[in-house]
Amino acid sequence: VEAHAPRRRHRIPCRSPGDTTGLQAHIASGRIVAADIVAVMGKTEGNGCVNDFTREYATTALAALLGTHLHLPAAEVEKRVAFVMSGGTEGVLSPHVTVFSRKPRHRSRAPAGQKRLTLGIGFTRDFRPEEMGRRAQVEETAKAVRRAMDDAGIDDRRRALRAGQVPPALLQPRSATRAPAASTPSPPTPTSRWATRAAPRRWAWRWRLGEIQPAQVSDAAVLRDWSLASSVASASAGIELDHNVVIVLGMSAARRAANWSSRTTSCATPSTPARCGAPCRRWASPTAKTAKRVVNVFAKAEASPDGLVREQRHTMLNDSDINSTRHARAVGAVIASVAGRSLVYVSGGAEHQGPAGGGPVAVIARA
Amino acid sequence: VEAHAPRRRHRIPCRSPGDTTGLQAHIASGRIVAADIVAVMGKTEGNGCVNDFTREYATTALAALLGTHLHLPAAEVEKRVAFVMSGGTEGVLSPHVTVFSRKPRHRSRAPAGQKRLTLGIGFTRDFRPEEMGRRAQVEETAKAVRRAMDDAGIDDRRRALRAGQVPPALLQPRSATRAPAASTPSPPTPTSRWATRAAPRRWAWRWRLGEIQPAQVSDAAVLRDWSLASSVASASAGIELDHNVVIVLGMSAARRAANWSSRTTSCATPSTPARCGAPCRRWASPTAKTAKRVVNVFAKAEASPDGLVREQRHTMLNDSDINSTRHARAVGAVIASVAGRSLVYVSGGAEHQGPAGGGPVAVIARA
Amino acid sequence: VEAHAPRRRHRIPCRSPGDTTGLQAHIASGRIVAADIVAVMGKTEGNGCVNDFTREYATTALAALLGTHLHLPAAEVEKRVAFVMSGGTEGVLSPHVTVFSRKPRHRSRAPAGQKRLTLGIGFTRDFRPEEMGRRAQVEETAKAVRRAMDDAGIDDRRRALRAGQVPPALLQPRSATRAPAASTPSPPTPTSRWATRAAPRRWAWRWRLGEIQPAQVSDAAVLRDWSLASSVASASAGIELDHNVVIVLGMSAARRAANWSSRTTSCATPSTPARCGAPCRRWASPTAKTAKRVVNVFAKAEASPDGLVREQRHTMLNDSDINSTRHARAVGAVIASVAGRSLVYVSGGAEHQGPAGGGPVAVIARA
Amino acid sequence: VEAHAPRRRHRIPCRSPGDTTGLQAHIASGRIVAADIVAVMGKTEGNGCVNDFTREYATTALAALLGTHLHLPAAEVEKRVAFVMSGGTEGVLSPHVTVFSRKPRHRSRAPAGQKRLTLGIGFTRDFRPEEMGRRAQVEETAKAVRRAMDDAGIDDRRRALRAGQVPPALLQPRSATRAPAASTPSPPTPTSRWATRAAPRRWAWRWRLGEIQPAQVSDAAVLRDWSLASSVASASAGIELDHNVVIVLGMSAARRAANWSSRTTSCATPSTPARCGAPCRRWASPTAKTAKRVVNVFAKAEASPDGLVREQRHTMLNDSDINSTRHARAVGAVIASVAGRSLVYVSGGAEHQGPAGGGPVAVIARA
């Protein structure tokens, strides 16, 4: 039992997409043990769109660094650590990574029965282009999410869902070829999380998660029936991957390694632009004292497909110089303003994640 | 005396930069009398940068419309109405114009001694390119601001300044040629408002206002000494103009036409990104009731020249695809989120307007 | 009979989208008679995409100018002069308009039987959103093209087509609402020109011309069967219009007003990127002498939908900052380099106009 | 002596900035020996501006690949191989690398006295921010260029210069901090090549080469006196480096390893937009036969600082969405059109490299 439970989630600013000196310093000082790292979520300073290579570059650089510490090739590192990167920080966001680690032999010191934040990861197999956005990817993703939840010790999925305490699972697939438009099949269980998909926008597939009844799932619903949406899923798409990487954060009463002893809690709620600061305000009113409790904020956002924001016209769908996913930077500004920090994770493109024009917001805060 | 004092400030959404159907409908219905219009401030959906022709197009279209009602050529309309347009609405802002009008024979119904919001306008003569950003423009601008204040009936400049109740005066100059870099000379009076200037960024001059002692003014201070800043000035630059257009909004106890009888008040405070929502929160907490009192919000914003936001790196100065003035859209999102509406006027590029990295925020609200 | 036949096509540089001083000077000097102007084709300096308002602004400014000369409201001018504007000049292109005029009582001085360049214009009625890209628009466009050919005195359509001497007919429609994807019905006659359509890219309809057998036309073919293409059509789309504006340039032996007496000829050939300079080289080898014969070059270009240029990968389909239609600026550079001038009309987006990845190139030169 | 002299310069297409599979295949097949590689010049698909991380990413990936073959850390690879990357391929350019290699024990088979293409590389020490663009960097660069020329066996510098046969030496420096504007001191020898510099555009230093008399060099001349220009220098700037990397290509009669036995020759001439295809036309008229002789074309280009192209206005200096360095893509299109291939190296930003508005063009072709 440790005298001082080390922090399990570190926000580390980055000076460039390939900059790993921050993590290196944490490892050198012992604040982070390389072998304990299980997941990294980061914001990089690319355009967040199709030709954004900063996501891939950041992952490559981080995997190379960890490889030297773990004496593993970078490719092997990517099989045991879940890297999820989202591009785009213009506005007030600041490039950074949040590093999640856990001790293999660690036991939670939380009182029995009390829930603590926990994390699990999962991977799917590589997909063939024609599987992207179709049944194969959906089913494999559902399996990977379930493995991640088992890994995290989140046993009561229904309750987790109801409480809205199962935050971002992120998917990053890639289409090597230009496959035809896609569909989504029936998920294995009700209320499980599985990927719907988003558009082959300029040849890149974008995938999304949802919690929906199997019968509701059809090809025709994808990118059309916006009522089919997950309130707790956040998916980023990158052309650099052929498989899905899943991170599940949730609350668990299980006393095991995955259950951090620090009294950390989280919340996740679907949000519309009108309310996108609300979940943060619960944890971080703009005073120095409470804001310090916030570890990080994770959110998805999108320009509303009906072209309206607060009943007036927005211009994101017509702007040919500014991709509509960059609308997320406006939401990021609101969240940063409430949370009192620019190191927040707000990612663009929230199709089937939250209501149309909205997206999930999850706050990790110290209890 | 009117039974029902008509509204004097109308927010009108625009469907495109050349769309004047909204104003046309207000004139047709009698809600706005064309001859009473004295100023129009608008947000158009261009990029807000040098090659943004939507400002000029909107002004051209509005002047043409008013010309048909006033039986004047468009060029004459631009001599009696102050048009101030600011480009850039990506994110959550919505293109619109705020139309200010006043009755020539109108008398304020406010109790004697009680101040009401009032407005004045002024114009400078055309400048020669070599005068831009130099003594000639500064002095002429100071004169125009003074004329606008006289026009508005704001007699106590010191008190107005102290109370921070003299909101945006906006300048839109233009350099027809590529003149060398510029300077700013001594202004005629202490605490008067005068234009400093901003950089000939890509051949376009950008001008700014400040309230500074004459002795402080020197060429070397321009775009260097950020402590020289106006807390109540907002200047937009466009290559489409050769002269400055000035609008002054302030509080006045004088019982005259310029003094609107509706109990309207305003505030203006310098603001940094950390506090950019604060002035709005005073008037518009996010409840339907109070938010309705807000007529409009006018603000300037800029990416901090030190490259930092909340002590972390921002990426606006290095982004070669997203001009740094677009940072203002992030501030616009915060203000829209607090004010509860997307029809707000937030303009980018706040050199010498508010502290470095900040800018003035003015709220017009019904008392 | 005039002693010196005045030039009928004037290339006039523009200082900005709203700049009409060049045309004004030509009218003031008598080089152009306002009442003789029948068509204006221009390149403006917007982004050439959906939120490019410079096309609309240029047309508005030109119509206002001509209105003062013709004592007509601008709206009436737009009913008798065909304005076709294409945005986008980044690279080496230079903003300009080509003004086409003809004398009502003019008789060609060309020897009997010898063909001369001639021009006709046509307009369709306004379309309803649901007609865009469907049978109604196609049929109306075919009719307008036929009226324009009659207007121009091009009687032998088959021969004209075979010779490839019927250059750009341009369409500029607009969808006010977000109508569902569209189709194209059977055209009235074989080998007539009619509009196919292009995608509702970000809610804006893009329309194209083709010369195809009626039986070949089906909804499924649109934006899929690239073999269905016109070798002589050039269509620009703008959200600012509700109807189509058609200009037909061709050779005619008829001795009438539309047939310019100056010995002018033209050519139009489909072109791929590999050969996009070829038509120009026939008329303008890069020597001062021959280049002077070229009046203007009109071309369409597009990034090949297979993602390849000269058998290697191009990056236009993946670039989220640079719209793929901007690929036309690269083709414009090649054409400008061969023609020896930057005042050329090269427009992006050539769906169903020329082979996939190519587009028509038309040269007007003095014989 | 080899029976068949292997090719020494390989053009290898890249599927993404981090894609090294092409080079890997060449090494696996024995066509390229990893230990023989001395230099790599590449075009990557970033924006070519300040926040273009694809240059750095490509270098990182290539160095990692070679490291595995040479059993060296990537950092060591970068000390013996000169990597020069230039971002920006929008238009018709295609991402690729040109790999230069040479056998240590190789002897040229060219007849005595006959010159062959040869290559040398050099590196400077790391610079401190305050040295960037000043005397220290200039002198160190001049030394590195001289070392590279010695390395290449180009002994007669004057003749080489006169013949214009010393093609691109490229510099990639970086400023970690925001140092004040810079100057250039006296170079060690007349007619030596040394760096002038370019602007700290958005905090990034851009360095350039020139061949100038020492007395001509002054701080005031930098980015002002455009007559001070090198006709044979090509410099790319990236924020990812702290030192300069130099590649010198030239003709040499010395029979040594650096002198490739294949009968390869090169030319380099300064070029303006009007003539930018001329050097290529000498080697590659657009026929399949002659075009095959061209190995690659290396050029620099820039939008003319006087705002004109062929005596008409260009719009690159006013476009706030398209950085002016992207003008080089238009020149790249012309060169690709003449050379008949899209795998050409055309890089933007040619300050002090060739005449104002122009840049050097070098062709490597088989004799």
Side-chain angles (χ1 to χ4, degrees):
Chain A
V1 175
E2 306 156 88
H4 300 288
R7 283 192 297 142
R8 296 290 181 258
R9 303 144 306 276
H10 295 82
R11 282 194 320 275
I12 305 175
C14 301
R15 287 183 292 181
S16 78
D19 173 38
T20 60
T21 55
L23 177 55
Q24 205 159 359
H26 276 69
I27 293 174
S29 72
R31 283 190 300 273
I32 294 180
V33 177
D36 294 350
I37 297 173
V38 283
V40 181
M41 287 179 71
K43 285 296 296 180
T44 59
E45 57 200 290
N47 61 21
C49 304
V50 179
N51 65 331
D52 181 351
F53 302 101
T54 62
R55 297 178 298 243
E56 179 185 335
Y57 182 24
T59 297
T60 298
L62 290 166
L65 172 68
L66 295 184
T68 62
H69 286 278
L70 304 176
H71 307 291
L72 287 174
E76 289 303 307
V77 173
E78 292 195 44
K79 287 180 186 166
R80 52 181 273 182
V81 177
F83 295 98
V84 171
M85 300 290 159
S86 163
T89 59
E90 68 274 9
V92 302
L93 303 185
S94 193
H96 71 286
V97 290
T98 302
V99 178
F100 297 90
S101 56
R102 63 182 185 201
K103 282 252 172 302
R105 302 161 310 280
H106 179 72
R107 286 284 145 190
S108 172
R109 297 178 302 162
Q114 200 169 330
K115 285 175 181 285
R116 286 291 177 268
L117 184 69
T118 182
L119 174 145
I121 66 174
F123 302 88
T124 68
R125 62 171 171 80
D126 279 6
F127 295 111
R128 293 189 297 277
E130 67 271 20
E131 291 180 323
M132 300 284 193
R134 293 178 182 279
R135 180 183 296 265
Q137 189 176 26
V138 173
E139 290 184 354
E140 291 298 319
T141 304
K143 288 182 202 166
V145 170
R146 212 173 310 120
R147 282 194 299 271
M149 294 181 74
D150 290 342
D151 181 32
I154 306 175
D155 43 2
D156 185 356
R157 291 175 203 168
R158 290 167 169 272
R159 191 163 175 277
L161 269 178
R162 264 193 226 115
Q165 286 166 337
V166 182
L170 292 103
L171 315 180
Q172 289 192 320
R174 173 220 193 193
S175 157
T177 66
R178 296 169 195 168
S183 66
T184 51
S186 53
T189 64
T191 70
S192 79
R193 287 133 223 93
W194 46 273
T196 68
R197 63 129 224 154
R201 191 179 302 186
R202 298 191 186 172
W203 320 122
W205 294 94
R206 294 175 169 276
W207 286 76
R208 311 298 170 198
L209 270 177
E211 59 260 15
I212 303 159
Q213 300 303 321
Q216 293 175 288
V217 183
S218 74
D219 288 12
V222 172
L223 291 182
R224 287 178 187 267
D225 183 354
W226 300 119
S227 71
L228 298 184
S230 166
S231 60
V232 296
S234 161
S236 287
I239 57 168
E240 58 272 14
L241 278 188
D242 288 316
H243 62 282
N244 291 357
V245 176
V246 175
I247 301 174
V248 176
L249 285 161
M251 303 301 283
S252 169
R255 301 174 60 84
R256 44 187 288 182
N259 190 333
W260 288 313
S261 61
S262 59
R263 303 206 309 151
T264 309
T265 186
S266 74
C267 78
T269 57
S271 184
T272 59
R275 297 183 289 123
C276 68
C280 312
R281 282 202 190 88
R282 282 177 42 196
W283 292 101
S285 64
T287 67
K289 186 185 173 190
T290 51
K292 279 183 183 166
R293 287 170 50 199
V294 173
V295 174
N296 209 337
V297 182
F298 301 88
K300 293 290 289 186
E302 70 175 358
S304 182
D306 67 2
L308 299 179
V309 56
R310 291 181 183 275
E311 294 169 25
Q312 295 293 342
R313 181 171 69 99
H314 68 70
T315 58
M316 296 308 292
L317 301 180
N318 287 331
D319 198 318
S320 304
D321 294 310
I322 303 291
N323 196 289
S324 71
T325 57
R326 297 200 186 227
H327 167 87
R329 266 47 108 190
V331 175
V334 175
I335 290 176
S337 134
V338 175
R341 71 189 63 197
S342 59
L343 297 183
V344 292
Y345 180 104
V346 183
S347 173
E351 298 90 338
H352 293 296
Q353 299 156 81
V361 181
V363 178
I364 301 182
R366 276 180 286 279
Chain B
V1 174
E2 304 156 89
H4 300 285
R7 284 191 297 144
R8 295 290 181 259
R9 303 144 306 278
H10 295 80
R11 282 193 321 272
I12 304 174
C14 301
R15 288 183 290 181
S16 77
D19 173 40
T20 60
T21 55
L23 177 54
Q24 205 157 0
H26 276 69
I27 293 174
S29 73
R31 283 190 300 275
I32 294 181
V33 176
D36 294 351
I37 296 174
V38 283
V40 181
M41 288 180 69
K43 285 296 296 180
T44 60
E45 57 200 290
N47 62 20
C49 303
V50 179
N51 66 331
D52 182 350
F53 302 100
T54 62
R55 295 179 300 244
E56 179 185 334
Y57 183 24
T59 296
T60 298
L62 289 166
L65 171 68
L66 294 183
T68 62
H69 286 278
L70 304 175
H71 306 292
L72 288 175
E76 289 303 306
V77 173
E78 293 194 43
K79 287 179 185 165
R80 51 181 275 180
V81 177
F83 294 98
V84 172
M85 300 289 158
S86 163
T89 59
E90 68 275 9
V92 302
L93 302 186
S94 193
H96 71 287
V97 291
T98 301
V99 178
F100 296 91
S101 56
R102 64 183 183 198
K103 281 253 174 300
R105 303 160 311 279
H106 180 71
R107 288 282 143 191
S108 172
R109 297 178 301 161
Q114 201 169 327
K115 285 172 182 285
R116 284 291 177 269
L117 183 69
T118 183
L119 173 146
I121 65 173
F123 303 88
T124 67
R125 62 170 170 80
D126 280 5
F127 294 112
R128 293 188 300 275
E130 66 272 19
E131 290 181 324
M132 301 283 194
R134 293 176 182 279
R135 180 182 297 264
Q137 189 176 28
V138 173
E139 290 183 353
E140 291 298 318
T141 304
K143 288 180 202 167
V145 171
R146 213 174 307 121
R147 282 194 299 271
M149 294 181 74
D150 290 345
D151 181 32
I154 306 175
D155 45 2
D156 185 355
R157 293 176 204 167
R158 288 168 172 272
R159 190 161 174 280
L161 270 177
R162 267 195 223 115
Q165 286 167 337
V166 183
L170 293 104
L171 315 180
Q172 288 192 319
R174 173 219 192 191
S175 158
T177 66
R178 297 166 194 169
S183 66
T184 52
S186 53
T189 64
T191 69
S192 78
R193 287 131 224 93
W194 46 274
T196 65
R197 62 128 223 154
R201 191 183 299 186
R202 299 193 182 172
W203 320 120
W205 294 93
R206 294 176 169 278
W207 286 79
R208 310 300 171 198
L209 270 176
E211 59 259 14
I212 304 157
Q213 301 302 320
Q216 293 175 289
V217 183
S218 74
D219 288 11
V222 173
L223 289 182
R224 287 177 187 270
D225 183 353
W226 300 119
S227 71
L228 299 183
S230 166
S231 62
V232 296
S234 160
S236 287
I239 57 169
E240 59 272 14
L241 277 189
D242 288 317
H243 62 281
N244 291 357
V245 175
V246 175
I247 299 173
V248 176
L249 285 162
M251 302 301 283
S252 169
R255 301 174 61 84
R256 44 186 288 183
N259 190 330
W260 286 314
S261 62
S262 59
R263 303 205 310 151
T264 308
T265 188
S266 74
C267 78
T269 56
S271 183
T272 58
R275 296 183 290 122
C276 68
C280 312
R281 282 204 189 86
R282 281 176 45 194
W283 292 101
S285 63
T287 66
K289 186 185 174 189
T290 52
K292 279 184 183 166
R293 288 170 50 199
V294 173
V295 175
N296 209 337
V297 182
F298 301 88
K300 292 291 288 185
E302 70 175 358
S304 182
D306 66 2
L308 298 180
V309 58
R310 292 182 182 273
E311 296 168 24
Q312 295 292 342
R313 180 170 71 97
H314 68 71
T315 58
M316 296 308 291
L317 301 180
N318 288 330
D319 198 317
S320 305
D321 293 312
I322 303 291
N323 195 291
S324 72
T325 57
R326 297 201 187 224
H327 166 88
R329 266 47 105 192
V331 175
V334 175
I335 290 176
S337 134
V338 176
R341 71 189 63 198
S342 59
L343 298 183
V344 292
Y345 179 104
V346 183
S347 173
E351 300 89 338
H352 295 297
Q353 298 155 81
V361 181
V363 178
I364 300 182
R366 277 181 286 280
Chain C
V1 175
E2 305 157 86
H4 301 287
R7 284 192 296 144
R8 296 292 181 256
R9 302 144 305 276
H10 294 81
R11 284 192 319 275
I12 305 175
C14 302
R15 288 183 291 182
S16 77
D19 173 38
T20 60
T21 55
L23 177 55
Q24 205 158 0
H26 275 69
I27 293 174
S29 73
R31 283 190 300 274
I32 294 181
V33 177
D36 294 349
I37 296 174
V38 283
V40 181
M41 288 180 69
K43 284 296 296 181
T44 60
E45 57 201 291
N47 63 21
C49 303
V50 178
N51 66 330
D52 181 352
F53 302 100
T54 62
R55 295 179 299 243
E56 179 185 334
Y57 183 22
T59 296
T60 298
L62 289 166
L65 171 68
L66 294 184
T68 62
H69 286 279
L70 304 175
H71 306 291
L72 288 174
E76 289 303 307
V77 174
E78 293 194 43
K79 286 180 185 164
R80 51 181 275 180
V81 177
F83 294 97
V84 171
M85 300 290 158
S86 164
T89 59
E90 68 274 10
V92 302
L93 302 185
S94 192
H96 72 285
V97 290
T98 302
V99 177
F100 297 91
S101 56
R102 65 183 182 198
K103 281 253 172 301
R105 303 159 312 279
H106 180 70
R107 285 285 144 188
S108 171
R109 296 178 303 160
Q114 201 169 326
K115 284 172 183 284
R116 286 290 178 270
L117 184 69
T118 183
L119 174 145
I121 65 173
F123 303 88
T124 68
R125 62 169 170 80
D126 279 5
F127 295 112
R128 293 188 299 276
E130 66 272 20
E131 291 180 323
M132 300 283 194
R134 294 177 181 277
R135 180 182 296 266
Q137 188 176 28
V138 173
E139 290 183 356
E140 291 299 317
T141 304
K143 287 181 203 165
V145 170
R146 212 173 311 120
R147 281 194 300 271
M149 293 181 76
D150 291 343
D151 181 31
I154 306 175
D155 43 2
D156 185 355
R157 292 175 203 166
R158 290 168 171 271
R159 190 160 176 279
L161 270 176
R162 261 192 228 121
Q165 287 166 336
V166 183
L170 293 104
L171 316 180
Q172 290 191 318
R174 173 220 193 191
S175 158
T177 67
R178 296 170 195 166
S183 66
T184 53
S186 53
T189 65
T191 70
S192 78
R193 288 133 224 90
W194 47 274
T196 67
R197 62 127 226 155
R201 191 181 300 186
R202 298 190 186 173
W203 320 120
W205 293 93
R206 295 176 168 276
W207 286 78
R208 311 301 171 198
L209 268 178
E211 60 258 16
I212 304 157
Q213 300 302 321
Q216 292 175 289
V217 183
S218 74
D219 288 13
V222 173
L223 290 183
R224 288 179 186 267
D225 182 354
W226 300 119
S227 71
L228 297 184
S230 166
S231 61
V232 295
S234 162
S236 286
I239 57 169
E240 58 273 16
L241 277 189
D242 288 317
H243 62 281
N244 291 357
V245 176
V246 175
I247 300 174
V248 175
L249 285 161
M251 303 300 284
S252 168
R255 300 174 62 84
R256 45 187 287 182
N259 189 333
W260 288 314
S261 62
S262 58
R263 303 205 311 150
T264 309
T265 187
S266 74
C267 78
T269 57
S271 184
T272 58
R275 298 183 289 123
C276 68
C280 311
R281 281 203 190 88
R282 280 177 44 196
W283 292 102
S285 64
T287 66
K289 187 185 171 190
T290 52
K292 280 182 181 166
R293 288 169 50 199
V294 173
V295 174
N296 209 335
V297 182
F298 301 89
K300 292 290 288 185
E302 71 174 358
S304 182
D306 66 3
L308 299 180
V309 57
R310 291 180 182 274
E311 296 169 24
Q312 296 292 342
R313 180 170 70 98
H314 68 71
T315 57
M316 296 308 292
L317 301 180
N318 288 331
D319 197 317
S320 305
D321 294 311
I322 303 291
N323 195 289
S324 71
T325 57
R326 297 200 187 227
H327 167 87
R329 267 46 106 192
V331 175
V334 175
I335 289 176
S337 134
V338 175
R341 71 189 62 198
S342 59
L343 297 182
V344 292
Y345 179 103
V346 183
S347 173
E351 298 90 339
H352 294 294
Q353 299 155 81
V361 181
V363 178
I364 301 182
R366 277 181 285 279
Chain D
V1 174
E2 304 157 86
H4 300 286
R7 283 192 297 142
R8 297 289 181 258
R9 302 145 307 277
H10 295 81
R11 284 193 319 274
I12 305 174
C14 301
R15 288 183 290 182
S16 77
D19 173 39
T20 60
T21 53
L23 178 54
Q24 206 158 358
H26 275 69
I27 293 175
S29 72
R31 283 191 300 275
I32 294 180
V33 177
D36 294 350
I37 296 174
V38 285
V40 181
M41 287 179 70
K43 285 297 296 180
T44 60
E45 58 201 288
N47 62 20
C49 303
V50 178
N51 66 330
D52 181 352
F53 302 101
T54 62
R55 295 180 299 243
E56 180 185 334
Y57 182 24
T59 296
T60 298
L62 289 165
L65 172 68
L66 295 184
T68 61
H69 286 278
L70 304 175
H71 305 293
L72 288 174
E76 290 302 306
V77 173
E78 292 194 44
K79 287 181 184 164
R80 50 180 275 181
V81 177
F83 295 97
V84 171
M85 300 291 158
S86 164
T89 60
E90 69 275 10
V92 300
L93 303 185
S94 192
H96 72 286
V97 290
T98 302
V99 177
F100 297 91
S101 56
R102 65 183 184 197
K103 282 253 173 300
R105 300 160 314 281
H106 179 70
R107 286 284 144 189
S108 170
R109 296 178 302 161
Q114 202 169 326
K115 284 172 183 286
R116 285 291 177 270
L117 184 68
T118 183
L119 174 146
I121 65 173
F123 302 88
T124 68
R125 62 171 170 80
D126 279 6
F127 295 112
R128 293 188 299 276
E130 66 271 20
E131 291 180 324
M132 300 284 194
R134 293 176 182 281
R135 181 182 297 266
Q137 188 177 27
V138 172
E139 290 182 355
E140 291 298 318
T141 303
K143 288 181 201 167
V145 171
R146 213 173 308 120
R147 282 195 300 271
M149 294 182 73
D150 291 344
D151 181 31
I154 305 175
D155 44 3
D156 185 355
R157 291 175 204 169
R158 289 169 172 269
R159 191 163 174 277
L161 269 178
R162 264 193 227 117
Q165 285 167 337
V166 183
L170 293 104
L171 316 179
Q172 289 193 321
R174 172 219 194 192
S175 157
T177 67
R178 297 168 193 171
S183 66
T184 51
S186 54
T189 64
T191 69
S192 77
R193 287 133 224 90
W194 45 274
T196 66
R197 63 127 224 154
R201 190 182 299 187
R202 297 192 184 173
W203 322 120
W205 293 93
R206 295 177 169 276
W207 285 78
R208 310 301 172 196
L209 269 176
E211 59 261 13
I212 302 159
Q213 300 301 321
Q216 293 175 289
V217 183
S218 74
D219 288 12
V222 173
L223 289 183
R224 287 177 187 270
D225 183 354
W226 299 119
S227 71
L228 298 184
S230 166
S231 61
V232 295
S234 161
S236 287
I239 58 168
E240 58 272 16
L241 277 188
D242 288 318
H243 62 281
N244 291 356
V245 174
V246 176
I247 299 174
V248 176
L249 284 162
M251 303 301 284
S252 168
R255 301 173 62 81
R256 45 185 289 182
N259 189 332
W260 286 315
S261 62
S262 58
R263 303 206 309 152
T264 309
T265 186
S266 74
C267 79
T269 56
S271 184
T272 58
R275 297 183 289 123
C276 68
C280 311
R281 282 204 189 87
R282 280 176 46 194
W283 292 102
S285 65
T287 66
K289 187 185 173 190
T290 52
K292 280 184 182 165
R293 288 169 51 198
V294 173
V295 175
N296 209 337
V297 181
F298 300 88
K300 291 291 286 187
E302 70 174 358
S304 183
D306 66 3
L308 298 179
V309 57
R310 291 182 183 272
E311 296 170 22
Q312 296 292 344
R313 182 170 70 98
H314 68 70
T315 57
M316 296 308 292
L317 302 180
N318 288 332
D319 198 318
S320 305
D321 294 310
I322 302 292
N323 196 289
S324 71
T325 58
R326 297 202 186 225
H327 167 88
R329 265 46 107 192
V331 175
V334 175
I335 290 176
S337 135
V338 175
R341 70 188 64 198
S342 59
L343 297 182
V344 293
Y345 179 104
V346 183
S347 173
E351 299 90 339
H352 294 296
Q353 298 156 83
V361 180
V363 177
I364 301 182
R366 277 181 285 280

